[in-house]
Amino acid sequence: MGCTEQYQFCNPVNGRCTDLMGTTLLTEGDDAIIGLNPVQEVIRARIGFAALKSSIHYHLSSRGANALRAQEAVSGADQTPLPPNQWTIEASTWFSVSLASLQKQMVEYATGPATTVSDPRRQIPPGPMGRMMCSNQKVRATDGSISFSVLGTCIILVLGMAIVLTSLCVDSVVGWIQHRVLRRGVHRRLQWILDETLQLQRLAFEEAGMGTWSGTTASVPVTRAGELLGGFDATIDPDHPRLSRAMAGGGGNGGGGSTSVSDVKSGMTFTQQETGPLMGGYAPTHTPST
């Protein structure tokens, strides 16, 4: 089977075309015949040079028998029967490879050659128009692209940040309004504060008589600077460990006592009465405030 490759350039503006030509005339065509402008002349020269290195002969001469699709049906010394149109399959494959190589050559005009092997025919584009095209070319990405909405992304980011900031500030804002503006719900507000992990830890240490605490209604209660908290004594029960109670006065659940909180708006006083070994919490009693 013999193949003949011929090329033709056409001007889409005036419809003029060159005669069919071989690869030897690709870079020597007369641009005046089809009326190309300076930009089109540079583009035609680029396509001509790329087609010269993308011809079927250029690829078959280096690959030999490996260029045949019929090799896929060979196993050892045996080969399965080939279809009657095998020659068209081979020719179509060669043409497809030639077009892929042509696209690759056009991309490498801007990106530079993918191989480091020197080629005397490969040189810097002559003239300002040729060099301008090195940085003025768009090519579709072969690995696809991802489209997304900038507006949608911004909305998600803004709403997400607003939700996060709201979750961080809502406790403090609601507590301030409840305490400073509404002046009610003191018991519920304190119960909410004391259920926090650090406040529960502070209650445990303070009830054991350890530490001089401040910020007892804040998010993070603290002791005096440099003050150390106690731990376990030498008589610790391994089956029921607990913090050692300080011997000095102050905290303790042995002597009883009461704590009162006043609600100014309602005119009521909520009193926590300690009655020995009962579990902690608020047991409010209502007495008129004075």
Side-chain angles (χ1 to χ4, degrees), residues 82-162:
L82 298 176
N85 65 333
Q86 183 65 32
W87 74 272
T88 60
I89 296 176
E90 302 290 358
S92 298
T93 301
W94 300 338
F95 184 68
S96 298
V97 172
S98 177
L99 291 180
S101 178
L102 177 63
Q103 292 176 330
K104 177 176 178 291
Q105 295 292 330
M106 297 300 294
V107 172
E108 288 186 352
Y109 184 90
T111 63
T115 177
T116 57
V117 178
S118 61
D119 188 343
R121 294 173 296 180
R122 184 179 289 125
Q123 56 185 352
I124 299 176
M129 189 64 66
R131 289 190 292 271
M132 180 271 295
M133 290 188 180
C134 288
S135 57
N136 189 23
Q137 179 172 316
K138 289 184 178 181
V139 181
R140 185 184 298 275
T142 57
D143 55 351
S145 59
I146 300 175
S147 299
F148 63 93
S149 172
V150 176
L151 177 60
T153 303
C154 293
I155 291 176
I156 293 174
L157 292 177
V158 171
L159 288 180
M161 293 179 62

Side-chain angles (χ1 to χ4, degrees), residues 200-211 213 229-231 243-244:
L200 291 174
Q201 185 184 44
R202 190 265 306 173
L203 289 173
F205 280 117
E206 193 169 28
E207 187 66 16
M210 301 178 187
W213 296 87
L229 298 177
L243 294 172
S244 299

Side-chain angles (χ1 to χ4, degrees), residues 17 84 150 186 219 290:
C17 297
V150 176
V186 177
S219 299
T290 58

Side-chain angles (χ1 to χ4, degrees), residues 174-192:
V174 172
W176 184 87
I177 295 175
Q178 190 177 37
H179 181 63
R180 300 291 183 180
V181 180
L182 301 179
R183 296 185 179 276
R184 63 181 179 181
V186 177
H187 175 265
R188 290 191 297 271
R189 175 175 173 271
L190 290 177
Q191 193 67 47
W192 177 272

